[in-house]
Amino acid sequence: MDPYMIHLHDHGNLPSVLDVHVNIPGRSSVPGKMKGRKARWSVKPSDMSNKTFNPIRAIVDSMKVKPNPNKTMIALSIGDPTVFGNLPTDPEVTQAIKDALDSGKYNGYAPSTGYLSSREEVASYYHCPEAPLEAKDVILTSGCSQAIELCLAVLANPGQNILVPRPGFSLYRTLAESMGIEVKPYNLLPEKFWEIDLKQLESLIDEKTACLIVNNPSNPCGSVFSRSHLQKILAVAARQCVPILADEIYGDMVFSDSKFEPLATLSSNVPILSCGGLAKRWLVPGWRMGWILIHDRRDIFGNEIRDGLVKLSQRILGPCTLVQGALKSILHRTPQEFYHNTLSFLKSNADLCYGALAAIPGLRPIRPSGAMYLMVGIEMEHFPEFENDVEFTEQLVAEQSVHCLPATCFEYPNFFRVVITIPEVMMLEACSRIQEFCDQHYHCAEGSPEECDK
């Protein structure tokens, strides 16, 4: 008998049924028997899940300390501008999402890279003569985090390495190491307002380097690179033939004394994947709308990288269609006054926080120029009872109910990060409590009695 023959059985007066029997040579026809396998339960987590590690969660979750019950908790640790309700998005933004919902047009699947019309709107919004964009250069993603993940996945293989800023956003390491990609941190220099140590950066590049991540404006530093510094970064990338992943989620969120320069506008030689989204500038991080802008005027990425991004986007079939449907109105109808008011508030809070903390002996805040953060150095020699920034911030919670992220979370010990999106009255109270805490724990360094005269 032919082992692949399909037999039709006549069952008399019963309706005709297709009864299929497939006999494969060498295979047992007895159910439940598999050659060489002893049936037993053995369900274990994958290597990818075991290699996925978020340092912020690991450090914060390990803090067992409880806040002072006599003081209301003030969280300066959460990079979500919506937490306190003082920074709502603009009414035009919420109306856009309502209109998209009411239209009934956006309830189905979109193409995995996003609706063509939505990608055209993003391309039009960011297009400029120095860095032209078309819809084919845009991939919509589920937040900027997924944009970064897709870029890493398309550019790097397991065993290769990427260059990331230190201090820097911890998700870069979390994503890369889960994919088996090595992370090499390059240093940012606090004494130069967090510019990159370019010599040290270039020394890290080898034949396995897949890409360089440049985060500007910076989380956690709140720094904004000048045009000349960005050109020097691009010169390193061009000289070493290393593509750039530009994390520009805080693009245009810069204070009045600074200017944001999109990296792709400064070079036609270096291929750049620029990641952005609605989360921060439009104050809707929960809407999960991000994008990748492909800048490749020398055709170095070619079709392979573009096709790779399309394939990777098919893993989750694109971001929320309702937000895609609202993009045109969000991008073109949000008034300039909204952006101006947001930045004015952030700059005012940044100046207030910087001024207050700079006056506290033992602390060295670095003045920010944008984004939503500033970094504060701790002169640990003046706080000898604490081993490091983690212990310092733990005790700050215990005594003053003020929670700042220790910069160990960003691979930069003996600093802490402050989020500047909280209401002004809370910022004033937090700074007052930090001063009280430092006053209680500050010790003069040996041989420096002048420090006690501050």
Side-chain angles (χ1 to χ4, degrees), residues 306-318:
R306 291 175 183 271
D307 292 347
L309 285 169
V310 172
K311 291 175 185 176
L312 289 167
S313 75
Q314 292 166 353
R315 292 171 60 168
I316 71 161
L317 299 181

Side-chain angles (χ1 to χ4, degrees), residues 32-223:
K33 287 188 178 180
M34 292 182 65
K35 194 172 183 180
R37 182 183 188 271
K38 183 179 180 181
R40 66 188 185 280
W41 289 109
S42 180
V43 184
K44 296 179 180 178
S46 67
D47 289 343
M48 174 178 273
S49 67
N50 284 332
K51 288 187 290 189
T52 301
F53 174 78
N54 187 321
I56 293 180
R57 288 265 54 88
I59 291 169
V60 171
D61 292 347
S62 68
M63 289 183 168
K64 305 301 181 185
V65 66
K66 294 181 179 179
N68 184 336
N70 299 316
K71 297 192 176 188
T72 304
M73 186 69 175
I74 301 177
L76 301 177
S77 56
I78 306 169
D80 180 347
T82 72
V83 167
F84 297 98
N86 61 313
L87 287 173
T89 191
D90 190 80
E92 289 285 0
V93 177
T94 50
Q95 188 59 49
I97 203 79
K98 290 176 184 176
D99 291 346
L101 176 62
D102 290 343
S103 75
K105 296 178 181 177
Y106 304 106
N107 296 331
Y109 288 119
S112 64
T113 56
Y115 288 119
L116 174 61
S117 59
S118 302
R119 290 186 286 119
E120 285 174 341
E121 294 300 336
V122 174
S124 171
Y125 190 80
Y126 288 102
H127 170 89
C128 63
E130 300 83 8
L133 286 167
E134 301 175 33
K136 66 181 178 63
D137 304 316
V138 178
I139 291 181
L140 301 183
T141 62
S142 182
C144 188
S145 296
Q146 197 212 8
I148 294 167
E149 180 178 21
L150 295 187
C151 290
L152 291 178
V154 81
L155 291 176
N157 282 310
Q160 289 188 287
N161 65 70
I162 62 170
L163 310 181
V164 306
R166 179 173 55 198
F169 185 37
S170 61
L171 189 70
Y172 307 143
R173 180 178 289 276
T174 299
L175 292 173
E177 291 186 343
S178 73
M179 301 179 204
I181 301 164
E182 182 188 357
V183 172
K184 289 186 172 185
Y186 61 83
N187 294 329
L188 306 182
L189 303 171
E191 67 274 15
K192 292 187 175 181
F193 296 98
W194 303 110
E195 286 191 343
I196 296 173
D197 183 339
L198 294 168
K199 184 176 288 188
Q200 185 254 351
L201 165 68
E202 192 158 11
S203 73
L204 297 173
I205 298 172
D206 60 23
E207 69 281 356
K208 292 186 177 181
T209 300
C211 78
L212 161 64
I213 296 182
V214 177
N215 177 209
N216 179 54
S218 165
N219 174 13
C221 302
S223 54

Side-chain angles (χ1 to χ4, degrees), residues 351-386:
D351 289 344
L352 185 158
C353 182
Y354 174 82
L357 299 185
I360 300 174
L363 298 185
R364 292 181 292 103
I366 311 296
R367 187 186 290 276
S369 298
M372 308 188 318
Y373 317 96
L374 83 160
M375 289 278 276
V376 183
I378 311 166
E379 296 174 344
M380 296 304 301
E381 67 272 18
H382 293 298
F383 301 98
E385 64 193 282
F386 305 122

